[in-house]
Amino acid sequence: MPVAARRRVLVVGIDGVRLDTLRRLDTPHLDALAAAGFLAPLVVEPGTPTMSGPCWATIVTGVTVDKHAVWSNDFSGNRLAVFPDFTTRLREAGRRTYVAAAWEPLMTVANGGPLFRGPGRVSYVAPASDDCEGWEEADELVTAEAVRVLAEDDPEASFVYLGAVDETAHILGCGEEYERAVVRADERLGRLLAAVRDRAAHAEEAWTFIVVTDHGHRDEGGHGGRSERERTAWIVCAGPDVPAGARVGGLRHQDVAAQVFASLDCPADSHWTLDGRPFAAEPQAVLLDMDGTLVDTEALWWRTAREVAEGLGHRLTDADTSEVVGRCVKDTAVHLWRVSGTERPLDALVAELDTRFLAAVEGETLLLPGARELLGALGDMGIPTALVTASPRPVVESVLKLLGAESFQVTVTADDTDRTKPHPEPYLAAARSLGVDPAGCLAVEDSPAGIAAAEAAGCLVAVVPSLVPVEGAPGRRVLTGLQELVELLEAGRAPRGSE
């Protein structure tokens, strides 16, 4: 049984980066994360001052200002003991956490702090001077220390704060020097990412990266008002549960902490009364298996294989399941030919399986519960959909009379690729035909062979087991049925892995 990858989260907070500036600049490390996941704007909520204190408190606690009570850059009177930051909550739950920053209220009792009340480990570097040069030097030292900890230690959840960009905007406005500060912050982000990649245990780990800013700036520098540029912030996220090119909407600062808990498979306690929720990443496309997933033909296929096997003097048992369920006709015929020791030609077995199965499908196929609702929901949401099956084209054409051929932009059958499930080629072909990255696709499957194909193609997988029990895993979520998937999609909570 493969060991599940150890989950880790790194949140990097870059203070005061305007979205329009970010989109204009060459920031290769942020761009790479966005390409691997998403870059999404957000708007600071009407009741939240566009100041660093309130915004960062919302980001790291997962609750809004009326709960954490940080209303300005003076944190006095806060309720952080009741609504602590995610590093403190996780440390209290026995997780290893780490924070690195240079802004006093985040780390010390200055101005009513600290925001981070009890992480497992901290790196604090006070700026030598409260100017652009002092903050650049502090960010450099913070980054160097965080690189060392990330490379040598094993924090499960980390937060690294970079403040020089914001300080530069306050002093010099949002001109060329401000843009250079943003580029330098991106370079520091790149060093943090490299430290993670170079970890000795990196191959056994599954990292989620979140980069977030707190607010924007006016052209002349400064913030605290309600202009669009001041209220516009953004989040970049990439990780094992986030499809490349994911479409997300309605993000809020309080969602960051909720996503940290979800990425660590650490469900938020309802008593915490978080206001945030994990990021709702809508898949670029949904790739649907047919037999046993949308229609009840998996049982018909097993019955067909059993009847043919009995004619050969062989009785199918659970030991045969992996060679029959989710497999194409030829694979099953080869298996029956081998285990029965028959002298019948292989082509004759293929033909008999084909004929018997098609007759059963045409006479007995029924939609599985939730299939019609799922196809309708995907159509209403405008999500491209493909049918990806190991069944031959004649069987698929028969089933499409029930499902509605118009529900699918693409159909990939056993006749359409050189290799079929459990090989990834059918899923790769479907994604290619839809013009999307397989990593941005959600595959819906029921059998181990189909799951293996989808995961080898790089898809996230939602499983609705039929004949064979299936366990959850990173990038794979086991559902109770198709109706649960409908509810998750309509709630903006597409499956992102084991939960």
Side-chain angles (χ1 to χ4, degrees):
M1 197 75 161
V3 177
R6 297 189 291 273
R7 293 196 162 228
R8 303 289 184 264
V9 181
L10 170 63
V11 181
V12 179
I14 309 179
D15 203 310
V17 180
R18 277 176 34 166
L19 180 59
D20 60 333
T21 301
L22 180 64
R23 285 176 166 161
R24 188 171 62 249
L25 297 177
D26 180 18
T27 51
H29 305 293
L30 273 166
D31 293 345
L33 285 182
F38 66 80
L39 163 62
L42 63 87
V43 177
V44 177
E45 295 183 349
T48 303
T50 55
M51 301 176 69
S52 295
C55 291
W56 288 119
T58 297
I59 288 166
V60 303
T61 64
V63 301
T64 53
V65 287
D66 59 324
K67 289 183 179 177
H68 62 62
V70 176
W71 293 98
S72 70
N73 289 345
D74 186 325
F75 292 16
S76 300
N78 69 69
R79 301 185 69 216
L80 296 171
V82 180
F83 301 102
D85 66 280
F86 67 80
T87 67
T88 298
R89 286 201 188 276
L90 288 166
R91 193 266 306 161
E92 291 172 348
R95 303 294 191 103
R96 297 177 300 278
T97 62
Y98 170 63
V99 177
W103 189 32
E104 280 187 316
L106 300 184
M107 310 295 280
T108 76
V109 296
N111 298 321
L115 174 58
F116 293 94
R117 298 178 63 83
R121 182 170 181 172
V122 299
S123 297
Y124 171 59
V125 181
S129 56
D130 197 20
D131 54 23
C132 298
E133 293 77 13
W135 270 96
E136 286 289 351
E137 180 183 4
D139 277 4
E140 189 65 21
L141 293 172
V142 163
T143 301
E145 182 63 13
V147 163
R148 186 180 67 81
V149 172
L150 288 170
E152 299 175 2
D153 202 351
D154 189 24
E156 295 172 80
S158 304
F159 180 90
V160 179
Y161 171 85
L162 303 176
V165 175
D166 185 62
E167 189 67 20
T168 301
H170 280 293
I171 296 172
L172 300 175
C174 296
E176 292 182 0
E177 190 54 44
Y178 173 75
E179 294 182 356
R180 283 191 282 270
V182 174
V183 171
R184 285 191 291 270
D186 179 72
E187 185 274 332
R188 290 174 182 128
L189 170 65
R191 286 157 54 196
L192 296 171
L193 299 177
V196 169
R197 288 194 298 269
D198 292 343
R199 288 172 53 82
H202 184 254
E204 289 79 47
E205 297 170 337
W207 281 80
T208 297
F209 300 103
I210 302 171
V211 188
V212 57
T213 200
D214 51 343
H215 53 68
H217 270 276
R218 298 186 295 272
D219 286 346
E220 67 274 18
H223 50 87
R226 306 308 299 172
S227 70
E228 181 179 352
R229 284 180 173 171
E230 291 167 276
R231 293 180 62 209
T232 301
W234 49 265
I235 294 173
V236 171
C237 181
D241 301 332
V242 181
R247 300 186 295 182
V248 295
L251 291 186
R252 306 161 303 166
H253 273 145
Q254 56 265 36
D255 296 336
V256 172
Q259 180 60 44
V260 170
F261 297 126
S263 295
L264 291 175
D265 284 335
C266 178
D269 191 317
S270 60
H271 292 91
W272 299 348
T273 63
L274 296 188
D275 297 316
R277 58 177 182 264
F279 303 155
E282 187 177 290
Q284 291 180 295
V286 173
L287 313 180
L288 293 153
D289 173 55
M290 186 181 77
D291 302 297
T293 299
L294 297 176
V295 290
D296 67 351
T297 46
E298 201 74 276
L300 300 180
W301 176 241
W302 177 257
R303 189 185 73 193
T304 298
R306 188 186 65 225
E307 291 171 350
V308 173
E310 288 172 352
L312 300 173
H314 176 74
R315 183 175 178 274
L316 290 182
T317 68
D318 290 346
D320 299 285
T321 302
S322 63
E323 301 297 330
V324 175
V325 175
R327 297 281 186 161
C328 67
V329 174
K330 185 175 180 180
D331 285 351
T332 301
V334 168
H335 176 68
L336 297 183
W337 184 82
R338 185 174 63 249
V339 297
S340 68
T342 183
E343 295 182 359
R344 287 186 63 188
L346 183 60
D347 288 348
L349 290 182
V350 171
E352 183 177 359
L353 286 167
D354 265 337
T355 301
R356 283 176 174 266
F357 185 47
L358 180 57
V361 167
E362 290 178 337
E364 302 178 54
T365 299
L366 295 174
L367 294 182
L368 287 169
R372 183 71 67 201
E373 293 81 358
L374 175 59
L375 295 175
L378 293 171
D380 291 343
M381 296 172 72
I383 298 177
T385 306
L387 190 66
V388 185
T389 175
S391 286
R393 176 64 64 178
V395 171
V396 174
E397 294 298 335
S398 177
V399 173
L400 285 176
K401 295 174 185 177
L402 268 179
L403 294 174
E406 70 281 358
S407 299
F408 306 96
Q409 285 73 52
V410 170
T411 58
V412 178
T413 76
D415 303 324
D416 299 326
T417 56
D418 292 335
R419 293 163 292 190
T420 190
K421 303 175 187 180
H423 195 276
E425 188 173 347
Y427 279 105
L428 294 173
R432 188 166 55 248
S433 295
L434 290 171
V436 296
D437 187 332
C441 295
L442 174 68
V444 185
E445 271 285 355
D446 74 303
S447 70
I451 294 165
E455 291 181 341
C459 304
L460 293 173
V461 181
V463 183
V464 184
S466 57
L467 297 181
V468 182
V470 177
E471 294 184 354
R476 178 201 308 169
R477 181 168 176 182
V478 180
L479 306 176
T480 57
L482 294 177
Q483 190 58 50
E484 183 183 357
L485 179 56
V486 173
E487 293 168 1
L488 289 171
L489 289 169
E490 290 181 340
R493 297 181 60 240
R496 301 169 300 105
S498 57
E499 294 186 17

